[in-house]
Amino acid sequence: MSGEVHTSVERVRRVVGLYGDPSVSWSIALEVELADPPDSATLTRRAAAIVAAHPHLGIAPTVVEHRGAATLQDFGDRLYGDRDPLVRIAVGADRLLVAAHHGAVDGLGLIGLIGLLLERPLGCTATGVSRTGEEPGFVRGNLQRLGEALWRPPTRFAATATDPGASGDVYATAEVPQFRGGTAALAWAATRALDEWNRGSDQAGRRTQPVVAMGVSRRSGAPPLAPDRDTAYTRIRARGVTSQRAMTDVLRATAPEPDFPLAEPRRVDPVRMVTRALGGRLGSSLLVSNLGLLRPAESGVTAARIWPAPAGPNGVAVGLASGSAGGDVTTQLTVRMRRGWFDPDASQRLAALILEALASSDDAQRPR
C-alpha cells in the first residue's frame, strides 16, 4: 500500500523516536576517497543484494552521481520519507559517498556497508566499549539528566543566525596535519573551541557547563563489519576539565549512557513529554565521533570523512576519520552545524578553531 509506512522506516523511527529530534534527518554519512570506485551499475547491483540480505536497511537505493557539496547537502539534510530507502549512495571519479538513517546503522555500520559495496572487507581502529554493568539504569540516568537540565544545562554554541524555519545543516571539512591524538584530544580541542567561540557572547555568563556527547560503538572496528548499529553514547560533563590529560581521565572513568527503549510512535510517553518540555535544556554542547584509521591499508581507501548528525538547539557535530596511502596517513576533520542557528560560514570558522586547539594540544607538543 502506497500510503503505509514501510516496516524498515517504522523501525528506525522507533529507534530514535524516544530521544530523537523529529526536526532533523538523522542521516549520517561517510565519504571515502579511492582510486578505482566501482561504476554506478555495479554499485546498484551490489546495493540491491546488500539490502536483500539485511532487511533492516529497507528498500534498494538508486545510485547517483557524486556532485560534491551539493550531494552531501542533499544526503545529509533530506528527511527519510515513509517509503524511502534508508541508504543513499553516490559515486564520483575518485570517491564514494554513503549515507544512512542512524536508526539503521552507526558509523562502524557505514564502514561495513562501504566494505560490502567495494567487496573488500573494511574495518577501522576503533576499539568500541563493552557493557560492564556499571552503566546507570534508564530511570536513574534520566533523573540525573533532569537535574542537569534544571540546575546546570549544557553550554550552547552562540548562534550566528536565527531562522527557526531553516532546515538542514551547514558543513565544513579540513585536513588535520600530523594528527597524533585520539578521541579525548578531539573532545578537548572542541571544548576549547567552544570557549573561544562564546567569548564575549551572552552564553559566556550563563550558569551552564560544557557537555560533550561522544558517539561510540559496543563492538570493535575489526573487519569485516556488519552494516548495522550497536551504538552507545558517552556524555562528558567537562566543567572543571582543564587539560587534555584530564579529559582522557574523565573519558576513561565515564560509563556510557543507558540504552533507550524503543519508542512507540503513537503512545503518549511521560519520558518523551518531559524530553520535549525541556528540549532547550537537554542534550549536549556538541557531539564528537572518531572512527580512527580505516583498515586494512590495502583496501584502497586513502582518505575518509565521517559526518555525524547534529540534533537539538544550536546542534553541532564534529567528526574525525583517517585513511592511508603508501604509509602516509591522512586525517580529516568535519564540522556539521544546524542551519537554523548558524550561518553558512560558521562551520568553517569552528573547524579553524578546532584545528588551532589540536595544534596546541598535549599530543601535538610531544617530541617526534
Side-chain angles (χ1 to χ4, degrees):
M1 298 290 290
S2 61
E4 294 179 351
V5 180
H6 194 277
T7 54
S8 62
V9 175
E10 186 173 38
R11 178 186 178 278
V12 297
R13 289 176 180 172
R14 291 181 65 212
V15 169
V16 301
L18 190 59
Y19 59 100
D21 182 340
S23 66
V24 300
S25 67
W26 290 100
S27 188
I28 61 173
L30 177 62
E31 181 181 65
V32 296
E33 294 182 17
L34 60 166
D36 58 341
D39 59 38
S40 59
T42 300
L43 288 170
T44 298
R45 184 178 67 253
R46 291 176 182 174
I50 291 167
V51 300
H54 303 274
H56 72 282
L57 296 176
I59 65 175
T62 300
V63 178
V64 301
E65 180 183 357
H66 193 337
R67 297 182 178 274
T71 303
L72 173 63
Q73 191 92 50
D74 174 56
F75 277 20
D77 291 359
R78 181 161 39 98
L79 300 178
Y80 290 83
D82 289 351
R83 301 192 65 79
D84 282 354
L86 296 176
V87 174
R88 298 164 177 170
I89 304 170
V91 63
D94 63 349
R95 63 196 57 206
L96 177 65
L97 175 65
V98 176
H101 194 291
H102 197 23
V105 301
D106 56 14
L108 269 61
L110 284 177
I111 294 176
L113 186 54
I114 288 178
L116 290 173
L117 289 169
L118 298 178
E119 294 190 340
R120 306 170 194 167
L122 194 59
C124 68
T125 55
T127 56
V129 295
S130 61
R131 289 178 173 84
T132 64
E134 298 176 0
E135 298 89 343
F138 179 72
V139 173
R140 182 162 66 91
N142 277 277
L143 288 174
Q144 293 172 348
R145 295 280 294 277
L146 177 60
E148 174 189 294
L150 292 173
W151 301 110
R152 195 176 288 277
T155 307
R156 306 295 184 190
F157 281 86
T160 61
T162 306
D163 185 2
S167 61
D169 304 316
V170 294
Y171 301 77
T173 183
E175 184 172 338
V176 185
Q178 298 178 316
F179 180 68
R180 301 172 65 85
T183 303
L186 180 60
W188 168 239
T191 59
R192 294 184 66 186
L194 171 63
D195 289 342
E196 186 63 31
W197 183 277
N198 285 345
R199 192 178 303 278
S201 74
D202 61 352
Q203 288 285 335
R206 294 184 178 180
R207 186 181 175 83
T208 60
Q209 64 175 328
V211 178
V212 182
M214 298 183 183
V216 295
S217 182
R218 294 191 183 278
R219 53 181 167 164
S220 78
L225 289 166
D228 54 21
R229 71 191 301 276
D230 195 359
T231 303
Y233 286 94
T234 297
R235 297 178 78 251
I236 301 298
R237 296 164 179 85
R239 180 170 175 256
V241 178
T242 57
S243 69
Q244 181 182 313
R245 184 181 300 276
M247 181 68 77
T248 300
D249 292 341
V250 172
L251 176 57
R252 288 173 177 167
T254 303
E257 291 291 291
D259 292 334
F260 278 76
L262 293 180
E264 295 294 342
R266 289 174 289 276
R267 189 183 70 192
V268 177
D269 193 298
V271 175
R272 192 188 309 170
M273 292 173 63
V274 172
T275 298
R276 290 177 177 173
L278 294 176
R281 300 176 68 86
L282 290 170
S284 57
S285 305
L286 75 157
L287 168 69
V288 167
S289 180
N290 178 17
L291 290 186
L293 175 65
L294 270 64
R295 60 179 185 180
E298 297 75 27
S299 66
V301 174
T302 58
R305 286 168 284 274
I306 179 67
W307 300 95
N314 304 58
V316 173
V318 177
L320 201 70
S322 301
S324 60
D328 295 326
V329 175
T330 299
T331 299
Q332 298 283 335
L333 170 74
T334 62
V335 175
R336 183 175 173 185
M337 308 171 79
R338 297 196 66 186
R339 188 180 289 114
W341 286 266
F342 301 102
D343 62 71
D345 296 330
S347 54
Q348 195 62 56
R349 295 200 303 274
L350 180 55
L353 288 176
I354 295 173
L355 286 177
E356 182 179 343
L358 284 171
S360 59
S361 69
D362 298 350
D363 282 329
Q365 299 303 315
R366 291 177 183 171
R368 298 189 179 116

